[in-house]
Amino acid sequence: MGFIGVIMHFKHVLTLGILLACTITFGASLDDLASVVKSASGVYREGGKAAIPNTVILATGNFGYMNHIQNFKCWLDRLHMKALVFSLDAEGYQAMQRINKGNTGDKSVYTYLWNAGEGEVKTSNAGFASKQFHVVTLSKIEAALAVMKLGYDVFFMDTDVALLQDPF
């Protein structure tokens, strides 16, 4: 259970490998998360390719990275795919909800407000190697582990990655 496809900077991959062996305390209830993950699973939107069972494309972001998240959504829309984006702050969560405003059916971006267990995430961009940067990086690992604990495979992507073609 729990394949992780990682498209990240090498340093983050090394961090991910080290921290997977650690016990992480989750900042949110997994029960609340289950229905959102179920909706976001399958990789492809309705009318697209056949779903990939129990697989979720996962990303994280906060309000400071909304431009990345909106661009990420454009790539998902073009490929008729869907993803779950864990919002790391309330302002980002509200902005992600507005992205899908009026779309009550099949979405390309599902969102969940994630309370990071390792510290508060600010609404601004995190400078590289800052304390905030490390909190955001650990939140990515927490998010992936939370989804895997629900029995899903995770393909994690940063939102500043462009999907030029279907990775599956």
Side-chain angles (χ1 to χ4, degrees):
M1 171 173 74
F3 166 78
I4 300 179
V6 183
I7 300 177
M8 299 172 100
H9 186 275
F10 176 75
K11 193 177 217 179
H12 297 163
V13 174
L14 181 60
T15 303
L16 178 63
I18 292 167
L19 290 176
L20 279 175
C22 301
T23 302
I24 293 179
T25 304
F26 297 108
S29 165
L30 295 182
D31 294 337
D32 296 339
L33 176 61
S35 66
V36 179
V37 173
K38 183 178 180 182
S39 296
S41 70
V43 176
Y44 298 103
R45 295 172 65 188
E46 291 178 20
K49 292 182 179 178
I52 300 174
N54 296 321
T55 302
V56 177
I57 297 175
L58 180 66
T60 60
N62 64 354
F63 187 75
Y65 292 94
M66 276 310 297
N67 58 336
H68 292 187
I69 294 166
Q70 289 170 332
N71 191 50
F72 184 64
K73 180 187 182 316
C74 289
W75 289 108
L76 292 169
D77 286 343
R78 187 177 69 78
L79 295 170
H80 215 68
M81 300 173 90
K82 59 185 176 177
L84 172 59
V85 180
F86 274 48
S87 177
L88 304 178
D89 65 331
E91 193 173 355
Y93 178 75
Q94 291 169 355
M96 286 182 224
Q97 291 293 325
R98 286 191 297 271
I99 287 174
N100 286 316
K101 190 172 182 159
N103 184 354
T104 57
D106 194 28
K107 303 177 198 175
S108 57
V109 174
Y110 291 83
T111 188
Y112 183 78
L113 180 57
W114 183 251
N115 296 316
E118 297 299 323
E120 183 180 345
V121 175
K122 298 179 176 131
T123 59
S124 59
N125 290 340
F128 182 74
S130 67
K131 181 180 178 185
Q132 185 67 192
F133 176 84
H134 294 299
V135 170
V136 169
T137 301
L138 285 174
S139 295
K140 294 175 184 183
I141 296 164
E142 285 181 330
L145 288 174
V147 174
M148 290 188 309
K149 280 190 124 181
L150 292 171
Y152 292 87
D153 294 327
V154 170
F155 186 85
F156 187 89
M157 296 182 63
D158 278 334
T159 56
D160 60 350
V161 173
L163 290 169
L164 300 178
Q165 63 185 23
D166 186 339
F168 298 96

